[in-house]
Amino acid sequence: MVDVYRLYERMQDNNIMLSFKGEVSFDLVKSVLDILEGRLEKIEDNPKVKKKVFNILVECLQNLGHHVETSGPAVDRDSHDNTALLMIWTEQGDYRVATGNYIKNENVEKLKAHIDKINSFESRQELRAFYQSILGNQQFSEKGGGGLGFIDIARKSGQKLDYNFKPVDEQYSFFSFQITIPKGA
Amino acid sequence: MKLLSLEGSNITPEIKFDGDMGKLSLKGRSIPENALEFYQPIFEWLDEYLNSPQQKTIVHVQFDYFNTSSSKCILDVLKRIDRIDEAGHDVLIKWYYDENDEDMMEAGEDYSALLEAPFELLEIE
């Protein structure tokens, strides 16, 4: 039998607030937000940080949900198209959110270029101007948010976006993403 | 004109648009899965209001949270207010944010930069 107690202790020691792997549906997103909002209410005194963490979670979940939506239903049982991983934990008062999901190889370059561009901005003002230019641009897709999600995460956290693409097979790569929301942000 | 009134929820804002009074308000959180679907009836109501707006229209915007999918829709709501302004009627957009919520204050500033209509930022305690 799996040593459940050890697993539990390990999660406890790592201050994991929530960990999920599976299909991301909108109902799940709502539940996760409800749970975390309740948790934040208990453990975070700073209303500013509370809002930032919640906001960033909304965007991270939206990114995951959006991915699932665009990649369509799984063709076969082994398809790893529509499952994702989400983990939220605290480290010395900082909040950390990590997500992981499969992404079609053909979409890797575009996403990588977008995140690299966000990370290239040296100041908050530049990042803000980039956000405004996309928001004000009529072209941007109403559905996907036009990549505003990652810009918003960078703005609200004040941190660089940490990511990695790991090629899995001919069709897919695994996209790992991590953001830190510093305590007292 | 018919009152547009939508109760707020955990994921959608409370909407109260009173065309006869020229008083429109959006309040709460806007994090729906499909923002466009939620905002569509609001756009339609505004498009009708644009035909014969009141001499003075005041828009109260007080969000706790909104997601980036909603951000474009919110801009599209405010752009319609801009058109009332352009047509020569009085309008005022009042953007409220919680004390210490700099992100929401900045969001208001971002919108204000993209609009012509008079825009007030108001901190609430």
Side-chain angles (χ1 to χ4, degrees):
Chain A
M1 191 188 153
V2 172
D3 190 342
V4 182
Y5 180 61
R6 205 173 139 239
L7 195 61
Y8 174 87
E9 279 209 306
R10 201 189 296 165
M11 289 179 88
Q12 186 72 23
D13 291 346
N14 289 317
N15 293 310
I16 294 173
M17 290 169 69
L18 189 131
S19 164
F20 173 85
K21 184 223 158 255
E23 272 189 55
V24 179
S25 66
F26 189 64
D27 281 340
L28 174 93
V29 170
K30 275 198 291 189
S31 309
V32 165
L33 290 175
D34 278 349
I35 292 167
L36 287 164
E37 199 174 16
R39 286 285 293 144
L40 281 169
E41 206 55 56
K42 286 203 189 92
I43 65 171
E44 182 58 59
D45 297 328
N46 186 336
K48 205 165 130 189
V49 174
K50 217 184 287 181
K51 280 206 164 182
K52 274 185 195 289
V53 173
F54 187 78
N55 247 306
I56 287 167
L57 279 167
V58 167
E59 295 304 324
C60 287
L61 283 159
Q62 186 179 297
N63 281 340
L64 291 178
H66 184 240
H67 168 77
V68 171
E69 203 175 31
T70 49
S71 48
V75 184
D76 57 59
R77 207 194 287 243
D78 292 322
S79 169
H80 36 227
D81 221 346
N82 54 359
T83 69
L85 182 133
L86 169 76
M87 204 158 92
I88 300 127
W89 70 102
T90 56
E91 233 171 276
Q92 280 127 37
D94 295 344
Y95 289 84
R96 290 181 196 255
V97 181
T99 63
N101 58 274
Y102 287 99
I103 173 170
K104 288 226 168 81
N105 287 333
E106 68 217 46
N107 297 327
V108 169
E109 266 319 302
K110 200 177 158 206
L111 181 55
K112 186 177 181 308
H114 181 61
I115 299 178
D116 284 345
K117 184 165 185 179
I118 294 168
N119 282 341
S120 75
F121 295 119
E122 308 259 320
S123 69
R124 278 179 55 78
Q125 283 72 23
E126 282 177 278
L127 196 56
R128 193 171 176 184
F130 184 48
Y131 181 94
Q132 282 187 13
S133 72
I134 293 183
L135 181 62
N137 178 357
Q138 293 300 320
Q139 305 286 311
F140 107 55
S141 99
E142 308 235 358
K143 199 174 187 190
L148 282 178
F150 285 111
I151 309 175
D152 195 51
I153 292 169
R155 275 183 80 177
K156 295 209 164 107
S157 65
Q159 303 295 306
K160 297 289 179 197
L161 309 176
D162 207 350
Y163 72 93
N164 175 266
F165 291 98
K166 186 180 161 61
V168 178
D169 58 26
E170 280 169 12
Q171 257 196 304
Y172 290 96
S173 292
F174 193 79
F175 170 55
S176 309
F177 177 80
Q178 193 181 311
I179 192 71
T180 300
I181 303 114
K183 67 178 157 194
Chain B
M1 198 166 162
K2 220 177 112 190
L3 186 80
L4 177 69
S5 176
L6 304 170
E7 233 175 272
S9 77
N10 243 350
I11 54 168
T12 54
E14 173 196 275
I15 303 291
K16 275 191 187 140
F17 284 11
D18 185 338
D20 295 335
M21 297 293 287
K23 193 178 160 212
L24 322 182
S25 98
L26 303 96
K27 192 177 178 183
R29 39 174 78 179
S30 182
I31 52 171
E33 180 185 29
N34 187 340
L36 199 53
E37 192 180 273
F38 175 77
Y39 281 92
Q40 196 57 46
I42 297 169
F43 295 151
E44 282 163 16
W45 189 96
L46 282 167
D47 288 339
E48 204 189 319
Y49 181 72
L50 285 173
N51 292 326
S52 53
Q54 296 299 324
Q55 259 322 303
K56 187 163 176 76
T57 304
I58 299 185
V59 190
H60 300 271
V61 189
Q62 189 179 338
F63 284 115
D64 293 326
Y65 302 104
F66 63 85
N67 59 4
T68 51
S69 316
S70 297
S71 59
K72 179 71 173 172
C73 293
I74 295 167
L75 179 65
D76 286 344
V77 166
L78 299 177
K79 284 263 185 200
R80 281 166 168 84
I81 306 303
D82 243 8
R83 277 161 49 195
I84 304 176
D85 177 58
E86 277 166 29
H89 301 277
D90 262 2
V91 301
L92 177 60
I93 299 167
K94 292 183 152 200
W95 181 276
Y96 300 88
Y97 61 93
D98 270 349
E99 184 184 30
N100 299 322
D101 192 354
E102 284 159 27
D103 291 327
M104 196 52 79
M105 183 191 76
E106 282 193 3
E109 289 173 352
D110 288 347
Y111 283 117
S112 146
L114 295 167
L115 299 163
E116 300 294 329
F119 200 106
E120 271 180 16
L121 286 156
L122 300 140
E123 188 182 275
I124 44 174
E125 278 172 36

